[in-house]
């Protein structure tokens, strides 16, 4: 799961001056001030197309904060600190988020999309298929994106006005595919919703602060 963190979280981005896809812009205008909840499936592939890892789970994210659940692992962040809870080993680890950390597609999909919009130029907008399913697609020209480096490529797929899937590829050809289901936008949540209640963990848990 940590590998995905190099790919989608925070900072207000200036809008680019070139033509922009109106479907993506409309989604971002709503998501920028909302909490976004979703279920997801993701997989990482190397440059040869070999699947390195696969994950499924659910999450809630808003600009600067998130909660992500994937099996026994739960991840939280209020924008200042990040917590990882592992119920199978009863371990909880907290650490401060480094300043300038790159946004991640799962933990802060809204900011990731804002960064993509501000930093990369569109090369295609229209109908395309993702894993055989038609969607409204926006493909971006290779460019420099935080966390992915120079030559990064991003493809976004939307259905019914919300993000359906995203594909990122770094300069070495490594790919991360994330498909979203049941994505909903709702009013922003208080920051306390993105901080775990460590006192309620019970006996046997080991809590470490890095």
């Amino acid at each position: 799961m940590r590998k995905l963190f190099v790919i989608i979280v925070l900072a207000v981005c200036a809008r680019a001056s070139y033509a922009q896809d109106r479907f993506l812009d409309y989604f971002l205008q709503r998501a920028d001030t909302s909490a976004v909840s979703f279920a997801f499936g993701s997989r990482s592939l190397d440059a040869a197309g070999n699947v390195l890892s696969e994950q499924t789970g659910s999450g809630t994210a808003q600009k600067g904060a998130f909660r992500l659940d994937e099996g026994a692992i739960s991840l939280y962040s209020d924008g200042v600190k990040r917590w990882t809870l592992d119920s199978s080993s009863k371990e909880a680890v907290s650490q401060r988020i480094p300043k300038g950390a790159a946004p991640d597609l799962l933990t802060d999909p809204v900011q990731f999309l804002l960064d993509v919009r501000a930093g990369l130029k569109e090369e295609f907008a229209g109908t395309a298929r993702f894993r055989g399913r038609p969607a409204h697609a926006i493909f971006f020209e290779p460019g420099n994106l935080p966390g992915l480096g120079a030559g990064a490529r991003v493809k976004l797929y939307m259905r019914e006005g919300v993000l359906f899937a995203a594909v990122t590829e770094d300069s070495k050809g490594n790919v991360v595919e994330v498909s979203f289901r049941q994505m909903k936008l709702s009013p922003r949540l208080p920051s306390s919703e993105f901080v775990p209640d460590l006192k309620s963990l019970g006996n046997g848990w080991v809590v470490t602060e890095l």
Side-chain angles (χ1 to χ4, degrees), residues 99-165:
K99 289 185 177 181
D104 180 280
L105 178 56
L106 282 179
T107 60
D108 194 344
V110 176
Q111 190 57 50
F112 176 80
L113 294 177
L114 286 170
D115 281 358
V116 169
R117 163 63 81 217
L120 301 181
K121 274 192 173 185
E122 290 178 15
E123 65 178 0
F124 170 81
T127 301
R129 290 182 175 271
F130 177 79
R131 297 182 185 174
R133 300 180 64 184
H136 177 73
I138 308 100
F139 298 168
F140 294 86
E141 295 178 2
N144 193 1
L145 198 64
L148 293 176
R153 300 186 68 95
V154 177
K155 297 180 180 180
L156 304 178
Y157 301 86
M158 302 183 68
R159 302 185 81 197
E160 299 179 358
V162 297
L163 187 65
F164 163 59

Side-chain angles (χ1 to χ4, degrees), residues 61-91:
Q62 60 191 35
K63 270 180 73 172
F66 69 85
R67 173 178 175 168
L68 208 63
D69 296 297
E70 190 253 324
I73 305 295
S74 294
L75 301 169
Y76 296 78
S77 177
D78 62 356
V80 178
K81 297 183 72 174
R82 179 175 292 167
W83 295 265
T84 302
L85 279 63
D86 186 341
S87 60
S88 62
S89 63
K90 291 191 173 182
E91 293 180 310

Side-chain angles (χ1 to χ4, degrees), residues 5-196:
F5 287 175
V6 183
I7 317 174
I8 295 186
V9 191
L10 235 154
V12 177
C13 299
R15 295 302 180 107
S17 58
Y18 44 81
Q20 299 173 347
D21 183 80
R22 62 187 178 89
F23 295 102
L24 178 58
D25 280 346
Y26 179 63
F27 172 71
L28 286 176
Q29 287 169 8
R30 294 183 299 146
D32 193 24
T33 56
S34 302
V36 183
S37 60
F38 52 88
F40 71 88
S42 69
R43 64 176 184 172
S44 301
L45 304 92
D46 63 18
N50 300 308
V51 177
L52 302 177
S53 64
E54 295 185 280
Q55 298 163 350
T56 58
S58 60
T60 301
Q62 60 191 35
K63 270 180 73 172
F66 69 85
R67 173 178 175 168
L68 208 63
D69 296 297
E70 190 253 324
I73 305 295
S74 294
L75 301 169
Y76 296 78
S77 177
D78 62 356
V80 178
K81 297 183 72 174
R82 179 175 292 167
W83 295 265
T84 302
L85 279 63
D86 186 341
S87 60
S88 62
S89 63
K90 291 191 173 182
E91 293 180 310
V93 177
S94 69
Q95 61 186 125
R96 288 197 168 273
I97 299 173
K99 289 185 177 181
D104 180 280
L105 178 56
L106 282 179
T107 60
D108 194 344
V110 176
Q111 190 57 50
F112 176 80
L113 294 177
L114 286 170
D115 281 358
V116 169
R117 163 63 81 217
L120 301 181
K121 274 192 173 185
E122 290 178 15
E123 65 178 0
F124 170 81
T127 301
R129 290 182 175 271
F130 177 79
R131 297 182 185 174
R133 300 180 64 184
H136 177 73
I138 308 100
F139 298 168
F140 294 86
E141 295 178 2
N144 193 1
L145 198 64
L148 293 176
R153 300 186 68 95
V154 177
K155 297 180 180 180
L156 304 178
Y157 301 86
M158 302 183 68
R159 302 185 81 197
E160 299 179 358
V162 297
L163 187 65
F164 163 59
V167 179
T168 65
E169 181 179 347
D170 66 18
S171 58
K172 297 180 181 178
N174 299 306
V175 173
V176 173
E177 298 179 349
V178 182
S179 58
F180 296 97
R181 306 181 307 280
Q182 303 167 358
M183 182 173 281
K184 297 178 181 178
L185 281 69
S186 57
R188 284 179 63 87
L189 299 170
S191 59
S192 59
E193 293 290 328
F194 303 97
V195 178

